[in-house]
Structures are given as structure tokens and as C-alpha cells.
Amino acid sequence: MGRRYWNINLEDMMEAGVHFGHGTKKWNPRMAPYISAKRKGIHITNLTITACFLSEACDLVFDAASRGKTFLIVGTKNKAANLVASAAIRARCHYVNKKWLGGMLTNWSTTEKRLQKFRDLRAEQKMGKFNRLSKGDAAMLKRKLSIFQKYLGGIKYMTELPDIVILVDQQEEYMVLRECVILGIPTICFIDTNCDPDIADISIPANDDAIVSIQFIFTKLVSAICEGRSSYIAI
């Protein structure tokens, strides 16, 4: 399952701007092996290396999906939020795209209680129980429900810790990465030139600020997960 299989093309990556890093002043020296040049004060990522890591990540998620494993995708910054939701929905993964509530994974029992409360409220609303309440009480529960929906909507069907976590932007999602490391959950992380490539299990050096770049990486990962899932069902 080499690069050809996942159709990871260097020209397509350049078109998507995957190679643009941060300004040279905002870099992490540990990223040196993944940087091929400096251009107009910006570091340029070596796309051949990116292609290798992306291919490896696709192999990993394909294999995991073909064994029925579960995924959580996390990306809470504005530019990534919609892409995270649509990628997760396409690949039938759990996701968090608004705000990471500290301890979501490390304090799983609390998260489970919140999810149960969320499910109960949704059921009550569906059964029309809110209509029997006073206007004030109904409004309060609806507010509660919309807060749950905002922060937990993407994980409402998650019944246990995920097998693999995919993160957009290491800096932004550092708390999540730490929780995964503590719990020993394998991680795939999009990393820009200001990140530490050694924390995640697979770090994909890429522009994590441009929508087109994030979308390019997601397209590959999602198709690998979907292919893996279809072979799992076939068995």
C-alpha cells in the first residue's frame, strides 16, 4: 500500500499549499529535518516526507477501520471546525470541533455522565415532554440541550474511549494530545513548522492553517477509513 495506492501526488499537494509553513521566526528547531527551504521569510515543508507520513497514516487508519476500530477527529479552530465535522460525518467518526472540555478522555466517567444526560434530554424533547413544562423550564432545558449539542454533538454516539485520535494543529489541541499520551491512545497529528514532531505517533508535516491544505489531508485519510470500513463489512 505505497503512495500510489493512496494517490498522494506532490503536484496536488503544492496546489493545495500543503508545503507552506510559518514564518522562519516562529519555528521549532525539531522540525528541521522536515523543512526543505526558506522562501520570503517562510519555511517550506519537504512534501516528499509529508507524502510518506500521510501514506503511513492512511495505511494505519485503513488497517484500523478494516478491524472495526473507532476514531475521534479533533480540530477546534475556526478554519478547521467545518472541515472536521464534514470529514468525520463522511467517515463515520466521532468528532469535537468547538471546544475541548479538559478531561474529556482522561476523565471518561464524567464525559459518560454528560453524554447520558444529553441523550436523556434529547429523548425527552423528542417525546414532547418539554411541551408540558412551563415556558421558563422548557427554555432552560432547550438552552442546556443546545450547549450539549455544541460541545458534545460530535461524540453523542461514543460509548468508550476511541482507538485512534486524529488532530488538526498540535499547538491548538495540545491538551488533547496530552490526554492521548497519558492514556496510550495512538495519535495522528497535522503539524506545522512550529510544532514538535516527536509527540504524536504519526506526525504529518503540513500547512495546518489553510483550508485547502487541511481538506487535502482529510480527503486522503477519509477515503482510507472508508475503504477500510467497507472491507470490514465485507468480512
Side-chain angles (χ1 to χ4, degrees), residues 13-209:
M13 284 203 276
M14 284 192 84
E15 225 168 273
V18 175
H19 57 307
F20 292 123
H22 283 281
T24 50
K25 290 192 176 84
K26 273 174 93 179
W27 79 307
N28 186 325
R30 286 192 175 168
M31 285 298 289
Y34 309 99
I35 292 167
S36 61
K38 289 177 191 177
R39 227 175 282 160
K40 293 180 183 167
I42 286 176
H43 274 131
I44 303 296
T45 303
N46 184 330
L47 288 182
T48 312
I49 295 176
T50 300
C52 286
F53 282 115
L54 179 52
S55 190
E56 195 185 319
C58 286
D59 286 345
L60 176 76
V61 297
F62 171 85
D63 186 49
S66 70
R67 290 182 290 123
K69 301 289 185 189
T70 60
F71 301 86
L72 170 66
I73 303 176
V74 185
T76 58
K77 61 182 181 185
N78 283 343
K79 276 184 182 166
N82 290 340
L83 299 174
V84 165
S86 61
I89 290 161
R90 277 203 321 277
R92 302 202 307 281
C93 300
H94 307 294
Y95 69 93
V96 173
N97 71 338
K98 285 291 184 271
K99 183 187 180 187
W100 184 261
L101 308 172
M104 250 178 178
L105 298 177
T106 45
N107 201 346
W108 178 242
S109 59
T110 303
T111 304
E112 271 186 317
K113 283 185 193 114
R114 281 181 184 147
L115 287 171
Q116 192 51 59
K117 183 84 185 121
F118 179 25
R119 282 192 282 268
D120 292 347
L121 275 177
R122 279 176 74 221
E124 282 172 23
Q125 188 185 35
K126 273 191 185 131
M127 292 187 302
K129 284 190 176 175
F130 288 11
N131 305 336
R132 294 177 223 148
L133 300 168
S134 69
K135 258 189 180 163
D137 286 349
M140 190 183 73
L141 288 181
K142 276 180 187 159
R143 240 190 341 266
K144 211 172 196 175
L145 197 53
S146 79
I147 289 167
F148 275 141
Q149 182 57 45
K150 186 177 178 182
Y151 298 121
L152 303 177
I155 61 164
K156 59 176 174 273
Y157 301 117
M158 198 156 100
T159 52
E160 56 190 1
L161 289 172
D163 295 306
I164 292 175
V165 175
I166 299 168
L167 302 146
V168 181
D169 192 337
Q170 188 190 83
Q171 301 288 71
E172 195 80 28
E173 312 306 343
Y174 197 73
M175 247 164 69
V176 190
L177 194 50
R178 274 188 43 206
E179 290 191 32
C180 292
V181 170
I182 290 165
L183 295 165
I185 298 170
T187 49
I188 294 168
C189 198
F190 300 17
I191 56 161
D192 218 319
T193 53
N194 60 341
C195 297
D196 180 345
D198 303 325
I199 307 173
D201 293 277
I202 297 180
S203 290
I204 303 169
N207 179 346
D208 61 16
D209 290 316

